[in-house]
Amino acid sequence: MTPAPSAATWPDLLRSAASVLGIDLTPDDTGYLALVVDAQCTVQLQCTDDGRHATLFAVIGQPTSEAVARLAPRLLAANLFWQDTGGATLGHDPVSGRLLLARALAIEPFLARGSAQAAHECVAELQAFADQALGWQARLSDWLDGAQEESSDPSATPASTLTFMHRA
């Protein structure tokens, strides 16, 4: 049995993942792509110039400076060994005031696999990151509204409800 050909580049990997999701995942000339998830969250992907990594990132909110200062201990605790972020990192952009969830994704391990396996694993990584981003948006909203933390797992949003949509 002949193994499936491996995806050779970031665009090839995205094409394979697109076949699983049934949407267009064509990055622009710089390797950038944005996906809108459940019309609530935009997951952005940017391939590095060397094509070895992609950065996945999503804005999870834009609280006031006072709220950021108040929430900083909780956000730092969540970042500790990535225990509450699914391997991603929470950060604050002091210029825009936005809170972001970001994760570096090594592309080479996907490229070494057959395209079908790589596609499914890539989709699983995107899904997991989207789950985290949606969970953190909800958690941040609850914290800002003064609600008590109901769950320590920000990925409590069921994966089966997520729908990816390509954003031009």
Side-chain angles (χ1 to χ4, degrees):
M1 185 175 221
T2 306
S6 65
T9 64
W10 173 241
D12 293 335
L13 177 60
L14 290 176
R15 260 190 298 283
S16 295
S19 68
V20 173
L21 290 170
I23 60 173
D24 179 25
L25 291 177
T26 305
D28 68 14
D29 292 341
T30 68
Y32 173 82
L33 174 70
L35 299 169
V36 177
V37 182
D38 285 352
Q40 299 175 38
C41 178
T42 301
V43 173
Q44 301 173 70
L45 300 86
Q46 177 67 58
C47 186
T48 57
D49 290 340
D50 65 7
R52 298 177 63 190
H53 294 89
T55 301
L56 288 76
F57 58 102
V59 174
I60 61 166
Q62 191 166 2
T64 65
S65 299
E66 295 79 19
V68 170
R70 190 177 76 247
L71 297 175
R74 290 179 175 183
L75 299 171
L76 286 170
N79 273 339
L80 181 63
F81 301 115
W82 309 278
Q83 65 185 353
D84 229 1
T85 61
T89 301
L90 293 162
H92 176 249
D93 179 351
V95 175
S96 70
R98 294 178 178 144
L99 289 177
L100 293 104
L101 183 70
R103 179 165 182 244
L105 182 66
I107 296 170
E108 289 177 328
F110 292 105
L111 301 181
R113 296 177 180 91
S115 61
Q117 181 183 358
H120 286 282
E121 290 176 7
C122 182
V123 168
E125 291 287 344
L126 292 173
Q127 185 76 54
F129 184 81
D131 288 346
Q132 283 292 326
L134 287 169
W136 273 103
Q137 280 183 335
R139 181 185 266 192
L140 182 62
S141 177
D142 287 348
W143 286 351
L144 293 173
D145 291 341
Q148 292 296 321
E149 184 174 354
E150 294 179 16
S151 168
S152 63
D153 182 7
S155 64
T157 305
S160 61
T161 65
L162 295 178
T163 304
F164 285 99
M165 297 177 286
H166 181 266
R167 182 178 115 175

